[in-house]
Amino acid sequence: QVQLVESGGGLVQAGGSLRLSCAASGRTFSIFKMGWFRQAPGKERQLVARIWWSGGGTYYSDSVKGRFTISRDNAKNTVYLQMDSLKPEDTAVYYCAVAYSAGTDDYWGQGTQVTVSS
């Protein structure tokens, strides 16, 4: 079992920045990958960014590539999402997730709201 606690959401004007954090506790010794997802009202949850725990490889969706940066601190079992040049369409609840294999994500955080005003 793992617990994921997200923080850092809030209200920001378009063009601004926010940094999300997701701290994992409990079963952290065999994390394979972590990711940030988002879900806007009336839309499906979508993968925003992914980081592989060993090696640090990353993936970004086209909608955030060049604006968002995912990183990790293995010692703190924490993953970050630096969001720059925010746009109103980035408004959503952001969730972090953890996977212990190459398959689907196993556990999810409670979500943190990000609102970008125009």
Side-chain angles (χ1 to χ4, degrees):
Q1 193 79 7
V2 68
Q3 293 78 43
L4 301 173
V5 179
E6 298 121 331
S7 60
L11 173 65
V12 65
Q13 288 189 332
S17 298
L18 284 174
R19 188 193 195 206
L20 305 183
S21 299
C22 175
S25 61
R27 181 188 173 190
T28 59
F29 57 90
S30 56
I31 292 175
F32 182 77
K33 59 184 178 181
M34 292 188 73
W36 285 99
F37 293 73
R38 69 185 181 188
Q39 187 168 20
K43 296 188 177 181
E44 293 187 352
R45 188 175 299 187
Q46 63 172 179
L47 175 63
V48 173
R50 172 80 76 191
I51 189 163
W52 279 262
W53 220 241
S54 176
T58 58
Y59 161 85
Y60 297 94
S61 68
D62 288 342
S63 60
V64 307
K65 198 174 296 182
R67 301 188 297 121
F68 291 10
T69 303
I70 190 170
S71 61
R72 77 201 191 293
D73 184 331
N74 292 45
K76 295 182 179 180
N77 297 309
T78 299
V79 64
Y80 305 95
L81 186 68
Q82 177 67 41
M83 306 186 294
D84 299 318
S85 303
L86 283 161
K87 304 176 181 180
E89 51 263 43
D90 294 318
T91 295
V93 178
Y94 284 70
Y95 301 87
C96 72
V98 63
Y100 297 97
S101 69
T104 57
D105 295 272
D106 298 294
Y107 296 97
W108 297 81
Q110 81 286 354
T112 185
Q113 176 70 46
V114 171
T115 303
V116 184
S117 63
S118 57

